[in-house]
Amino acid sequence: MTADPNDVAPAVASLDTIVSLSKRRGFVFPSSEIYGGINAVWDYGPLGVELKRNVKDAWWRAMVQERDDIVGLDAGIIMHPQVWVTSGHVGSFSDPLVECETDHRRFRLDELPGTEGLSQTELLDSGIVARLGLRCPVDGGPLSAPRRFNLMFKTHMGPVEDDAAVVYLRPETAQGSYVNFKNVQQSTRKKLPFGIAQIGKSFRNEISPGNFVFRMREFEQMEMQYFVRPETAAQVFEEWLPRRWDWYTSYGVTPSRLRFREHAPDELAHYAKKAVDVEYRFPFGWKELEGIHNRGDFDLSRHAAASGENLEYFDPATQEHFIPYIVETAGGPDRAAFTFLIDAYREEEVRGETRVSLALHPALAPYKVAVLPLLKKRPEIVELCHRILADLKRDMLAVYDDTAAIGKLYRRQDEIGTPWCVTVDVDSLTDGAVTVRDRDSMTQERIPVEGVKRAILDRLEAARP
Ligand code: ATP
């Protein structure tokens, strides 16, 4: 990578730090690990599933719940195969693939060193490999000319496995929102501008997956399609940029590790009029976290023409019929959760020892609070812990742990990002108070037992973006 004077250091130097923490503490495991794993699929463990769920809830709150103009949808993963012909995916949802002639490894041409800045046309030029003198990065062998590799997974629907039964696993959620535009508009009576938001699984047969959950073959997306009058699309597009940036920073991402990157004209997808990525400084470089696209009227016009369905919007105020433009925000909870995890990682020296903590935003932290006994041999202390825990659990995810001494219990909770620990000690039995310890400042406060849940709920509320 060339040295860039504007670059910033990543939050962790090595991805391995996050991969091993994720495995050790139960955020993410390799899929089917006892069979040796399967490339580019990862399983979310007990803590990871909570983190990812919290990320999705935070997105849904900001995009649907707190807005009057956006509604939700959950379309099927399998759609009518014609959808993907019309959308252009069957014809051109592909990456340029090159193959090593000696070890037959396959690579995405645009990810090989030396191909930075090449246009889409150059990437498919049959003479490009020879012209740039590219060789296999693993064994130095000769590489084939590039060819298009379609990224969609195919399967068969119904009991007959012939060509007529071919269907695709969706590579994006967006098409479900386009084909339901009329259903949603008519059932909700929404007027422009309005949006449709979806969270769900998508599948892409990526040529070179990797960097942990950054690029998987099965992943989730959080996409929102905002339908607008054509003449307002350029302005609306600009308005979504800071909104999406602010969502990441309000949940704790360091602003200096974010940047916008506009797509060059020859990099734009076939449907896009303008595209800007929100990029994050991952340990492996600046990479897309989310894309914001002005898609024009491409999607609705194409679906209207191919299906024969009139997808025009009628504006009662101006008495006009027209096809709306679409501004899309396309992100994913896997990349977002990964970013929040990396950016929250802290290592510091505390009394001669290294303290590892995850300074996750309280709304994203898997456990909001841990209840810990100072002495697990005293049944009254344990009993009081369980009473406090049961009360907390009615409102939030809380956990009890007595498998080590208190110092170690705190360190364990710090490492998984639990914002607060409630400790019950011998004095609690007489003064009716417990200690609430803060993860980031490590300060401790004495609070009456009856006030514990209110205090935690107040802190959660105060932290809300
Ligand atoms: P890239 O250039 O990284 O391949 P893309 O431009 O193809 O991404 P989009 O089609 O814009 O990505 O997808 C929207 C979002 O979906 C991405 O910003 C990302 O958060 C998520 N996403 C896409 N592909 C993957 C994947 N293979 N694994 C995990 N998340 C993904």
Side-chain angles (χ1 to χ4, degrees), residues 355-358 410-417 437:
R355 178 174 94 114
V356 172
S357 67
L358 288 181
Y410 284 151
R411 296 287 176 271
R412 282 189 195 154
Q413 296 301 324
D414 290 343
E415 201 188 33
I416 59 172
R437 172 191 180 268

Side-chain angles (χ1 to χ4, degrees), residues 63 222-226 233-246 248 259-263 268 271-279 288-295 326-331:
M63 302 297 275
M222 308 188 287
E223 297 193 302
M224 191 280 298
Q225 316 300 320
Y226 202 65
Q235 171 66 26
V236 169
F237 176 88
E238 300 302 325
E239 290 164 5
W240 275 104
L241 298 177
R243 263 184 222 137
R244 294 306 306 143
W245 174 290
D246 291 348
Y248 290 104
R259 72 178 185 192
F260 285 126
R261 190 183 71 82
E262 182 167 352
H263 288 212
L268 284 175
Y271 53 75
K273 290 198 174 313
K274 184 170 179 182
V276 171
D277 289 344
V278 182
E279 292 190 332
E288 174 183 330
L289 184 52
E290 169 159 346
I292 297 149
H293 313 126
N294 178 351
R295 304 179 63 119
I326 294 169
V327 174
E328 170 189 54
T329 70

Side-chain angles (χ1 to χ4, degrees), residues 15-215:
L15 186 57
D16 292 345
T17 311
I18 299 297
V19 177
S20 74
L21 172 77
S22 296
K23 172 88 194 291
R24 188 160 34 83
R25 300 309 312 271
F27 281 94
V28 177
F29 307 126
S31 164
S32 325
E33 194 181 11
I34 60 169
Y35 288 97
I38 176 165
N39 199 5
V41 186
W42 295 87
D43 295 343
Y44 283 80
L47 295 183
V49 71
E50 299 297 340
L51 171 64
K52 191 158 87 152
R53 180 191 301 231
N54 293 338
V55 168
K56 291 189 278 189
D57 285 351
W59 187 85
W60 199 260
R61 193 175 314 122
M63 302 297 275
V64 179
Q65 191 177 323
E66 292 179 353
R67 297 189 65 100
D68 297 326
D69 54 350
I70 303 179
V71 291
L73 181 77
D74 185 10
I77 286 172
I78 296 175
M79 302 180 72
H80 193 293
Q82 186 60 39
V83 167
W84 304 109
V85 177
T86 307
S87 68
H89 284 80
V90 169
S92 62
F93 188 58
S94 53
D95 281 332
L97 174 145
V98 288
E99 184 170 338
C100 172
E101 287 168 18
T102 50
D103 67 9
H104 300 290
R105 280 199 171 84
R106 291 170 166 196
F107 304 94
R108 233 173 101 168
L109 178 60
D110 57 335
E111 289 187 345
L112 291 182
T115 60
E116 298 85 4
L118 290 184
S119 68
Q120 289 301 316
T121 323
E122 288 169 310
L123 286 168
L124 286 166
D125 173 355
S126 58
I128 191 77
V129 169
R131 196 141 38 81
L132 297 178
L134 300 173
R135 311 287 294 186
C136 172
V138 178
D139 71 355
L143 292 172
S144 69
R147 66 179 168 88
R148 281 182 177 278
F149 176 78
N150 195 293
L151 303 182
M152 280 200 295
F153 279 97
K154 270 187 205 170
T155 186
H156 294 91
M157 194 160 198
V160 186
E161 287 203 6
D162 63 13
D163 285 350
V166 166
V167 290
Y168 303 93
L169 301 187
R170 69 177 175 199
E172 61 175 33
T173 61
Q175 299 302 324
S177 298
Y178 305 146
V179 300
N180 277 296
F181 166 71
K182 215 169 165 179
N183 283 335
V184 172
Q185 197 272 322
Q186 290 182 348
S187 60
T188 62
R189 297 168 183 271
K190 286 279 174 213
K191 297 206 168 59
L192 295 190
F194 78 92
I196 303 180
Q198 282 203 78
I199 299 178
K201 283 269 165 118
S202 291
F203 301 80
R204 295 182 187 180
N205 198 3
E206 301 276 4
I207 298 169
S208 35
N211 289 325
F212 198 38
V213 297
F214 178 81
R215 192 179 299 287

Side-chain angles (χ1 to χ4, degrees), residues 297-444:
D297 64 359
F298 177 85
D299 307 282
L300 291 184
S301 303
R302 295 265 298 205
H303 282 304
S307 66
E309 187 79 30
N310 181 3
L311 297 179
E312 283 179 332
Y313 172 80
F314 173 66
D315 190 333
T318 60
Q319 298 285 304
E320 290 167 283
H321 291 268
F322 58 89
I323 296 271
Y325 271 31
I326 294 169
V327 174
E328 170 189 54
T329 70
D334 304 288
R335 265 183 213 180
F338 186 35
T339 300
F340 290 122
L341 200 60
I342 295 171
D343 214 68
Y345 188 85
R346 308 272 186 279
E347 270 182 26
E348 61 186 322
E349 206 62 17
V350 177
R351 281 179 240 105
E353 276 183 36
T354 305
R355 178 174 94 114
V356 172
S357 67
L358 288 181
L360 286 171
H361 188 284
L364 303 183
Y367 296 128
K368 306 306 173 204
V369 55
V371 184
L372 313 170
L374 198 69
L375 283 176
K376 70 168 173 179
K377 291 201 184 87
R378 291 283 297 268
E380 316 94 284
I381 291 183
V382 173
E383 197 255 337
L384 181 54
C385 280
H386 283 294
R387 210 148 37 85
I388 296 170
L389 184 74
D391 188 34
L392 288 166
K393 278 180 168 232
R394 291 164 64 91
D395 289 281
M396 68 195 80
L397 204 65
V399 67
Y400 171 80
D401 190 6
D402 66 5
T403 57
I406 192 70
K408 196 154 189 188
L409 294 181
Y410 284 151
R411 296 287 176 271
R412 282 189 195 154
Q413 296 301 324
D414 290 343
E415 201 188 33
I416 59 172
T418 308
W420 301 288
C421 290
V422 172
T423 308
V424 179
D425 56 26
V426 181
D427 290 343
S428 308
L429 303 175
T430 48
D431 69 2
V434 292
T435 300
V436 177
R437 172 191 180 268
D438 183 86
R439 174 196 67 201
D440 298 335
S441 64
M442 291 189 283
T443 51
Q444 306 195 355

